[in-house]
């Protein structure tokens, strides 16, 4: 059975999307905004947002502990015959991935995190890899999945 270009794109884009969040979780443990790991699966606006967030966290002496839980699904693949863009929707849960003060290990606030609706664009880039180019994260309670 032959795998379609669309199926291959879905699989590779989803892998890049999940890997981006794993990279962010690892990097956020130190808030190293210069980490090359941030660019391994993100580029463009997505990379800029992630780098700026890590910079702000480092500046404010914050780190994150734990890991996000992602449950992404593909919403669309375009063009179908020779995919270049995959849109992903996720109901990500950050209740096990929270911010703490780097100096004393205390939680930044008493907010428990939760499920957030995430929409992401994953594109085939010039080196042949798939990378998240932009994403939007809504507030806690924006999804229930």
């Amino acid at each position: 059975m032959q795998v379609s270009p669309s199926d291959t794109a879905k699989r590779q884009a989803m892998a890049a999307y999940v890997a981006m969040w794993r990279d962010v979780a690892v990097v956020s443990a130190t808030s190293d905004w210069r980490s090359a790991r941030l660019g391994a699966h993100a580029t463009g606006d997505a990379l800029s947002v992630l780098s700026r967030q890590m910079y702000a966290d480092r500046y404010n002496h914050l780190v994150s502990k734990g890991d996000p839980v992602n449950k992404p699904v593909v919403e669309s693949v375009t063009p179908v015959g020779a995919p270049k863009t995959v849109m992903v929707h996720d109901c990500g849960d950050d209740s096990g991935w929270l911010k703490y003060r780097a100096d004393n290990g205390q939680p930044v606030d008493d907010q428990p995190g939760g499920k957030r609706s995430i929409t992401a664009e994953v594109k085939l880039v010039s080196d042949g890899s798939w990378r998240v180019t932009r994403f939007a994260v809504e507030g806690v309670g924006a999804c229930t999945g």
Side-chain angles (χ1 to χ4, degrees):
M1 180 165 80
Q2 187 171 347
V3 178
S4 74
S6 181
D7 288 340
T8 299
K10 287 178 188 178
R11 182 179 48 75
Q12 292 175 342
M14 292 286 276
Y17 174 81
V18 171
M20 178 194 77
W21 288 115
R22 298 297 162 256
D23 293 341
V24 172
V26 168
V27 172
S28 70
T30 61
S31 298
D32 180 5
W33 61 278
R34 289 179 259 179
S35 173
R37 190 162 182 168
L38 291 175
H41 298 100
T43 191
D45 289 344
L47 179 56
S48 179
V49 166
L50 295 173
S51 296
R52 285 193 319 263
Q53 182 61 57
M54 291 299 141
Y55 181 84
D57 285 354
R58 172 66 68 95
Y59 181 83
N60 291 304
H61 308 287
L62 305 177
V63 295
S64 295
K65 297 178 183 178
D67 293 297
V69 175
N70 300 99
K71 295 183 179 179
V73 294
V74 171
E75 290 202 324
S76 66
V77 176
T78 54
V80 176
K84 304 267 188 268
T85 303
V86 175
M87 295 302 295
V88 174
H89 181 265
D90 188 6
C91 185
D93 188 346
D94 63 6
S95 59
W97 183 44
L98 302 173
K99 289 188 190 266
Y100 295 84
R101 295 193 43 79
D103 57 356
N104 63 17
Q106 294 300 309
V108 169
D109 56 35
D110 61 356
Q111 301 302 309
K115 293 182 178 178
R116 301 171 185 269
S117 181
I118 305 169
T119 303
E121 176 185 74
V122 188
K123 289 193 170 222
L124 182 62
V125 296
S126 60
D127 70 0
S129 66
W130 287 86
R131 293 203 179 126
V132 179
T133 55
R134 13 182 217 132
F135 64 89
V137 181
E138 296 184 34
V140 170
C143 63
T144 57

